[in-house]
Amino acid sequence: MKKPIERDLFPGALGMMILRTLKRRPLHGYALVQQIKRTSNDLLQIEEGSPYPALQRLLKEEFVKGEWSISSTNRRVRIYRLTAAGAKLLERKVSSFERMLEGMTRVLAPEES
Amino acid sequence: MSWLKQLFVRRRLYRELSEEVQAHLDEKVEELVAEGMSREEAMQSARREFGNVGLITEDSREVWRWPSVEDFFLDIRHGLRALCHNPIFTTVALLTIAIGIAANTAVFSVVNGVLLKPLHYPKAEELVALHQVAPGAEGLADFENGLLLSPSMYFTYAEHNRTFQSLGVWITGTANATGLAEPEQVRTVAVSNGVFESLGVPPAVGRWLSPADQLPNGPRRVMLSYGYWQRRFGGEQGVIGRSIIVDSRAREIVGVMPQGFRFVDSDFDLAAPLAFDRGKAILAGFGFHGTARLKPGTTIAEANTDLARMLPIWMDSWSNGPGTDSHIYEKWNITPMIRPLKQEVIGNVGEFLWVVMGTIGVVMLIACANVTNLLLVRVEARQQELAVRTALGASWMRIVRGLLVESVLLGLLGGVVGVGLAYAGVRFLVAIGPSNLPRLNEIVVDASTLGFAFVLSVLSGLLFGLIPALKYARPRASSALRSVGRTISLSREGHRARNLLVVGQVAMALVLLVSAGLMIRTFSALQKVDPGFSDPRHLQVMRISIPDSLVAEPARVTRTQNAVLDKLAAIRGVKSVGFISEMPMEGFDSAWDQIYAQDKVYADNTIPPLRLYKYISPGLLLTAGTRLVAGREMTWSELYGLESKVMVSENLAREMWGTPPAAIGKYLREFPWMPWLEVIGVVQDVREKGVQETAPEIVYWPPLMENPFGPGPTQAVRTVTFAIRSERAGTESFVNEVREAVWSANSNLPLASVRTMQEVYDKSVARTSFTLVMLGLAGIMALALGIIGIYGVMSYTVSQRQREIGIRLALGAQSGDVLQMVLRQGTVLVLVGVAIGIGAALGLTRLMSNLLYGVTSHDPLTYIGFAALLILVALLACYIPARRATLVDPMVALRYE
């Protein structure tokens, strides 16, 4: 089935970014989205809602854990935290992504050599 | 385990998700407001940046489900809710489908029982009936059975064939069983070797009849049917070896056949060996059904060739006695036409059952068309809802699926109701079904019938759901949304679909009405036919057989029968009595032979045509109400004096001598060595084989006569039908008095087939009346559904055009103009439908031409009559909505704007 959330990204990219962001520190949904947008300098045009389905999937597979607590703005929010399995998955994903990126870079590099 | 937990925690998960999304939006709004945006702007902006809230929530929830299954259940929930929302629509649609499915399921259960699984024998595909035709033996081989086998043919085929594993002959009959309780007439089957071996069904108890039991003067043995065993012996295992008295002779029981076993299409009580005496067999005696099992891999064509090869051997090996020419049968052109046993069992009922099934199928199509129409209207009304759903991000596939699930649900619910109705329907069918339908009583709603109903429900659900779904689910969000709040003007294609459905319904209804009309014409034509007897309701008939073990001497047999007649005549209210070898349409095997006229010259080696012959007592013609066209009946004294007198049928008299009176005083005989018999009377033609069959030429012998087979003792007919004319016929008290009267003449005589002639007659026309009832019901259903369809479409069109009509009226149109306009539209639809229907009926009714009598399949009166009826009723259905259109108040209609 088509997942419009990842319209402009390759499959799995959003999940990888969520995991990476959560590795730095646990965050709630809104903060997570802002963090990703900010880090990417708004280069990635993602809808703010789009991480939620991905988060649910990660929750279900237990790559992240959710805990309810009160935010700085005094709202009940769910704080997401990376699990050990999540950290391992991130590692795997990043290394395979880097390999892919390297390959692509070589292919796309201007013909100098 | 985890999925079970999921089910329970899912509600919480969903709630948390919504809360989280809401928190996100709130946070965003607050931030934007803090940046200086107005609250309203901030809320809009937050939602815009978030994306499609509904869709994202839905996608997030989906993570926790088994996607397709759960969507499906969700669709079902939605569907059920939608159906409940609109109870009138749902009820009408459900009933329409339920009736259609009930009718189809009921008829299918009959087709399934009769046509699809008629044989209970192992490897039934190897079983064949040794059918042969003999165009040269007109009369003898005229009817359904073709030319039956003679004992000598059986010996030849059994001994010289190369293509059969086993082969045998059998014949049905009746016998008197005594010594158990009161004397009882039982149905018997006499079998040769090879019949049990061919059919291959092992006995339930004991053993089959063996070759040793077939010795002409060997031990008298017998097998029981399961039913007889249960009825007379209570299913006792120790019955083997015991004796029963059959036709006054003791026979030893050697085995019992299992429940449901029958000889091809014949039920039986006792099976006895034929015990042919090979030494006495002659060429003739064509009275036995042949049943055989082909060697594996042998085709019917090969077996036919094999039989044809053996016919010369047969003629060379046997004779009809000294001085006869064995090769006389070459003129008969005997041709083997082996038939699969299944075909033999089904006979010609297949054709009419398929006609009925087809008809009922058409009713289903009309019902589907009606429901499609209803759904089209409904979907149109829901177009805004669908547009909103599309706008909210529902995919096209999802909406189509939703609509289809809804219609299939409708189909299935209809199926459930329908199967309930079908249970009642099957009882009804079994009650009115013709008795020549094999195994009619075993027909039930079984697993395959339920499967059929299920498939039919789903298919019809898909059928009537697909058109509306495909038509309206296409994304046209903008156009539909724009007209929110207004009456949507109907799209041209919406009209077209509905109009096509109406035209189709009218056409199909006409086909069914014409078919039913043709059956009505057939039935009334049959009613007008003089069957050769009168007032059958007051004619009591019954079979009585006097075996030679009970009364040996022929003349005494006739005197016993005469004594029975006297006793019967003495019963209160009896007008007259008589007996005959069989009454018309009773369906017993009839006898045929060549008849020579004294004043005709027959070239050497030619065989004169075969004629049906019957034995008749004085008084029978009067009793049956059969007219004497010329001459007179025989008297009792002539009968006992063995005076050689005979009567013939009117058509035989005309054929031989030109006019009935000319036949009186002429002479005829059966065999060249017989004395000549004087024709003293000419009897009106009798529809012996049923009202639909032409009357055969008949010779009426006296029941007691000198042995036609040469010098020897006189011969009496021992099994006859007694006929009693009385106003009291058929009442229980009368039948009891009849029984007492018979037993007062001879207490050992059982009565069989006690019924009125009306029952015999009804049975013989049962196929026609059954088809008539079925087609009539189908026609009425089709008419009703078609009318509802037309009415529905016209009403809907009028309601949709209310605004337009209002404008017309406001601009000065007269109500007559409006009436005409609406009626014209309806008329065009109906006329087109009728035209197509007539064309289709001309083609399709040809399939049922074999069921018709006295009317052709393109009978103009039927076509014009029913077309006119249909047009009239359809226009009436148009008139009501048209009339309503004229009552449109222009102000009210325009105020809708």
Side-chain angles (χ1 to χ4, degrees):
Chain A
M1 208 182 286
K2 206 176 81 185
K3 289 275 178 289
I5 318 129
E6 293 166 359
R7 216 171 324 194
D8 297 323
L9 297 169
F10 60 87
L14 190 62
M16 200 161 68
M17 292 191 298
I18 291 171
L19 290 175
R20 182 71 190 85
T21 313
L22 290 179
K23 193 185 177 192
R24 222 164 285 149
R25 63 188 167 107
L27 287 168
H28 59 83
Y30 180 74
L32 175 70
V33 175
Q34 302 310 321
Q35 179 70 36
I36 291 176
K37 284 174 89 173
R38 214 171 19 251
T39 323
S40 71
N41 279 339
D42 283 334
L43 288 176
L44 296 176
Q45 298 278 319
I46 59 168
E47 288 177 332
E48 292 198 356
S50 58
Y52 286 99
L55 275 171
Q56 294 294 315
R57 226 166 292 137
L58 293 171
L59 259 182
K60 190 185 178 193
E61 305 293 330
E62 293 176 357
F63 291 123
V64 298
K65 268 198 322 213
E67 269 165 26
W68 287 90
S69 75
I70 304 298
S71 74
S72 53
T73 52
N74 212 15
R75 273 194 189 83
R76 218 172 92 82
V77 292
R78 174 151 50 184
I79 309 282
Y80 292 97
R81 182 187 308 277
L82 203 62
T83 63
K88 224 177 266 173
L89 177 73
L90 177 65
E91 240 168 78
R92 241 192 358 258
K93 286 249 172 185
V94 169
S95 78
S96 82
F97 174 71
E98 277 171 350
R99 257 180 289 129
M100 187 182 84
L101 196 63
E102 193 188 336
M104 279 178 70
T105 317
R106 288 186 183 194
V107 173
L108 296 177
E111 294 175 66
E112 280 171 11
S113 51
Chain B
M1 207 30 234
S2 70
W3 63 266
L4 200 69
K5 203 175 75 190
Q6 268 183 36
L7 270 182
F8 288 111
V9 300
R10 194 174 296 155
R11 201 172 284 266
R12 181 175 56 85
L13 287 169
Y14 290 177
R15 209 183 44 236
E16 285 178 353
L17 187 71
S18 311
E19 197 180 337
E20 192 172 17
V21 168
Q22 194 53 51
H24 179 117
L25 290 171
D26 291 348
E27 195 96 9
K28 180 85 184 179
V29 168
E30 203 157 298
E31 203 178 291
L32 290 171
V33 169
E35 283 170 15
M37 218 181 251
S38 79
R39 185 147 210 99
E40 209 160 298
E41 270 178 317
M43 272 162 79
Q44 273 186 13
S45 167
R47 281 186 172 263
R48 196 165 48 240
E49 285 192 42
F50 190 85
N52 188 334
V53 177
L55 198 61
I56 284 170
T57 319
E58 186 61 16
D59 277 335
S60 306
R61 288 178 172 187
E62 209 164 71
V63 170
W64 300 99
R65 304 186 194 130
W66 312 285
S68 46
V69 182
E70 297 215 357
D71 277 359
F72 185 65
F73 280 112
L74 198 67
D75 281 339
I76 288 184
R77 276 236 313 276
H78 277 308
L80 279 177
R81 203 182 305 152
L83 290 179
C84 291
H85 264 312
N86 208 335
I88 295 180
F89 159 81
T90 308
T91 313
V92 171
L94 262 187
L95 276 184
T96 310
I97 302 161
I99 290 172
I101 288 180
N104 274 274
T105 306
V107 172
F108 175 80
S109 66
V110 175
V111 169
N112 182 43
V114 174
L115 298 185
L116 301 182
K117 47 166 200 182
L119 294 180
H120 281 311
Y121 309 111
K123 288 194 187 165
E125 67 284 353
E126 291 173 352
L127 288 175
V128 293
L130 299 181
H131 185 78
Q132 37 193 13
V133 294
E138 193 198 339
L140 184 64
D142 218 17
F143 294 112
E144 222 169 283
N145 286 326
L147 181 70
L148 296 173
L149 273 64
S150 68
S152 56
M153 258 178 178
Y154 155 68
F155 283 120
T156 312
Y157 289 167
E159 288 157 15
H160 295 275
N161 83 78
R162 295 166 187 164
T163 47
F164 300 101
Q165 295 180 47
S166 56
L167 175 162
V169 295
W170 52 276
I171 187 171
T172 58
T174 54
N176 297 341
T178 46
L180 287 166
E182 62 184 38
E184 180 190 23
Q185 188 156 52
V186 292
R187 295 162 296 173
T188 58
V189 172
V191 300
S192 74
N193 260 329
V195 174
F196 285 109
E197 289 81 353
S198 298
L199 295 179
V201 176
V205 183
R207 61 165 176 86
W208 284 337
L209 294 170
S210 69
D213 300 328
Q214 296 284 357
L215 297 174
N217 295 308
R220 295 174 178 279
R221 302 250 163 85
V222 71
M223 284 188 81
L224 309 182
S225 74
Y226 186 86
Y228 192 74
W229 181 49
Q230 292 293 330
R231 197 165 72 235
R232 284 288 166 237
F233 297 95
E236 189 194 325
Q237 296 282 329
V239 76
I240 306 299
R242 281 173 58 180
S243 287
I244 54 172
I245 314 291
V246 182
D247 280 350
S248 314
R249 286 210 178 87
R251 282 182 178 273
E252 183 196 342
I253 298 167
V254 296
V256 178
M257 289 309 286
Q259 194 166 16
F261 174 83
R262 57 176 64 193
F263 288 92
V264 187
D265 54 355
S266 303
D267 280 317
F268 70 105
D269 297 312
L270 303 176
L274 271 169
F276 287 133
D277 189 342
R278 201 176 193 287
K280 287 186 185 156
I282 56 171
L283 282 167
F286 307 96
F288 299 89
H289 300 275
T291 299
R293 186 176 282 276
L294 292 173
K295 283 181 181 164
T298 311
T299 64
I300 282 185
E302 286 164 354
N304 274 331
T305 316
D306 195 26
L307 286 194
R309 174 186 63 83
M310 289 184 281
L311 281 169
I313 304 180
W314 167 66
M315 284 185 264
D316 288 340
S317 315
W318 312 83
S319 98
N320 273 338
T324 56
D325 180 0
S326 290
H327 286 265
I328 207 159
Y329 292 107
E330 281 166 11
K331 294 208 170 51
W332 278 14
N333 271 324
I334 301 175
T335 316
M337 297 272 275
I338 292 176
R339 298 199 284 214
L341 202 65
K342 184 172 173 180
Q343 189 189 336
E344 184 82 359
V345 170
I346 295 170
N348 57 3
V349 301
E351 182 179 310
F352 101 91
L353 270 189
W354 285 124
V355 166
V356 171
M357 186 79 221
T359 320
I360 295 290
V362 172
V363 172
M364 190 72 219
L365 283 181
I366 298 181
C368 281
N370 254 3
V371 178
T372 307
N373 249 333
L374 287 174
L375 284 173
L376 274 174
V377 170
R378 215 166 90 90
V379 144
E380 200 139 283
R382 286 168 66 185
Q383 232 180 334
Q384 286 173 19
E385 173 207 327
L386 298 181
V388 169
R389 279 174 67 186
T390 314
L392 290 181
S395 76
W396 178 66
M397 272 304 292
R398 186 71 194 269
I399 288 185
V400 168
R401 200 175 62 186
L403 289 174
L404 279 185
V405 163
E406 207 179 306
S407 63
V408 170
L409 214 58
L410 203 56
L412 283 175
L413 287 177
V416 171
V417 181
V419 166
L421 292 175
Y423 268 102
V426 166
R427 289 228 191 104
F428 172 71
L429 289 187
V430 169
I432 67 165
S435 61
N436 63 351
L437 270 185
R439 306 193 341 204
L440 186 68
N441 295 321
E442 293 166 36
I443 289 165
V444 285
V445 175
D446 60 3
S448 47
T449 312
L450 290 179
F452 171 82
F454 177 74
V455 171
L456 187 66
S457 307
V458 173
L459 279 186
S460 50
L462 284 177
L463 184 67
F464 56 63
L466 211 56
I467 298 174
L470 291 183
K471 258 186 125 39
Y472 291 100
R474 234 170 253 290
R476 285 188 308 192
S478 57
S479 75
L481 280 177
R482 214 175 298 131
S483 50
V484 166
R486 265 204 210 170
T487 321
I488 313 154
S489 294
L490 209 49
S491 63
R492 194 165 275 279
E493 53 184 320
H495 266 319
R496 204 185 307 137
R498 260 197 299 280
N499 290 347
L500 278 179
L501 286 171
V502 164
V503 167
Q505 278 183 319
V506 169
M508 287 190 280
L510 185 62
V511 171
L512 293 192
L513 284 175
V514 165
S515 316
L518 291 174
M519 287 314 292
I520 292 175
R521 300 264 288 155
T522 296
F523 205 70
S524 75
L526 289 181
Q527 297 287 321
K528 281 185 204 123
V529 171
D530 180 357
F533 49 84
S534 65
D535 192 12
R537 212 171 288 284
H538 296 121
L539 189 54
Q540 184 81 50
V541 296
M542 61 191 174
R543 297 283 279 176
I544 295 180
S545 180
I546 306 176
D548 58 357
S549 47
L550 188 67
V551 179
E553 201 224 327
R556 273 202 49 220
V557 170
T558 311
R559 288 199 186 275
T560 309
Q561 289 162 338
N562 197 347
V564 170
L565 283 184
D566 290 343
K567 295 282 186 190
L568 290 173
I571 297 175
R572 184 175 57 85
V574 170
K575 290 200 183 109
S576 66
V577 290
F579 67 82
I580 187 165
S581 46
E582 61 162 337
M583 286 296 281
M585 305 177 193
E586 276 200 290
F588 296 109
D589 286 339
S590 39
W592 301 77
D593 219 332
Q594 311 130 21
I595 296 298
Y596 296 86
Q598 189 186 31
D599 53 348
K600 298 272 183 296
V601 179
Y602 297 91
D604 279 354
N605 281 342
T606 59
I607 304 178
L610 291 149
R611 315 291 187 186
L612 183 69
Y613 62 87
K614 301 173 88 174
Y615 301 94
I616 190 169
S617 84
L620 186 276
L621 290 180
L622 175 68
T623 308
T626 310
R627 272 181 299 113
L628 202 55
V629 178
R632 61 175 183 88
E633 269 192 313
M634 218 177 179
T635 64
W636 283 104
S637 60
E638 286 170 328
L639 187 68
Y640 289 122
L642 295 179
E643 290 181 33
S644 304
K645 304 280 199 279
V646 69
M647 291 189 292
V648 296
S649 64
E650 185 178 349
N651 49 9
L652 182 59
R654 285 188 194 282
E655 186 195 310
M656 289 236 201
W657 298 290
T659 64
I664 306 299
K666 296 292 193 303
Y667 289 86
L668 53 74
R669 66 183 173 190
E670 197 175 355
F671 294 104
W673 53 82
M674 240 177 117
W676 292 102
L677 285 86
E678 184 191 352
V679 177
I680 59 166
V682 178
V683 178
Q684 81 170 106
D685 292 340
V686 175
R687 303 278 175 149
E688 257 328 297
K689 295 288 172 182
V691 201
Q692 306 213 28
E693 304 277 356
T694 52
E697 292 86 20
I698 304 174
V699 178
Y700 294 92
W701 306 117
L704 182 70
M705 61 195 297
E706 287 182 75
N707 189 350
F709 296 101
T714 50
Q715 257 203 338
V717 55
R718 289 173 175 277
T719 303
V720 295
T721 298
F722 280 80
I724 310 162
R725 171 70 65 184
S726 168
E727 294 293 324
R728 296 171 62 208
T731 63
E732 203 179 318
S733 65
F734 184 69
V735 171
N736 281 334
E737 284 174 47
V738 165
R739 199 171 281 129
E740 293 297 317
V742 172
W743 286 339
S744 71
N746 186 325
S747 59
N748 281 318
L749 293 178
L751 284 64
S753 307
V754 182
R755 49 191 177 173
T756 65
M757 202 55 201
Q758 184 69 41
E759 292 169 57
V760 176
Y761 178 86
D762 287 346
K763 255 186 154 174
S764 88
V765 296
R767 196 181 75 168
T768 307
S769 44
F770 183 74
T771 317
L772 172 67
V773 169
M774 294 311 297
L775 289 188
L777 284 178
I780 290 169
M781 285 199 275
L783 185 65
L785 289 173
I787 294 310
I788 293 172
I790 295 169
Y791 175 78
V793 165
M794 293 311 293
S795 311
Y796 185 71
T797 312
V798 166
S799 74
Q800 289 295 300
R801 290 172 69 183
Q802 208 165 17
R803 213 155 45 91
E804 175 208 325
I805 292 169
I807 294 171
R808 280 175 192 269
L809 288 173
L811 292 179
Q814 296 300 302
S815 61
D817 300 333
V818 172
L819 191 71
Q820 216 176 20
M821 179 184 78
V822 178
L823 274 184
R824 196 183 310 125
Q825 188 198 346
T827 312
V828 167
L829 292 183
V830 172
L831 287 183
V832 172
V834 164
I836 296 175
I838 287 179
L842 282 174
L844 289 173
T845 51
R846 209 171 307 154
L847 297 177
M848 58 183 283
S849 53
N850 280 350
L851 301 175
L852 300 180
Y853 179 85
V855 62
T856 60
S857 67
H858 43 265
D859 175 52
L861 194 65
T862 311
Y863 279 73
I864 295 171
F866 279 98
L869 173 76
L870 186 61
I871 291 172
L872 203 72
V873 181
L875 285 186
L876 203 65
C878 292
Y879 179 78
I880 299 167
R883 178 92 199 123
R884 213 171 38 223
T886 64
L887 301 179
V888 168
D889 181 346
M891 285 315 290
V892 174
L894 293 174
R895 213 173 289 143
Y896 270 124
E897 279 296 298

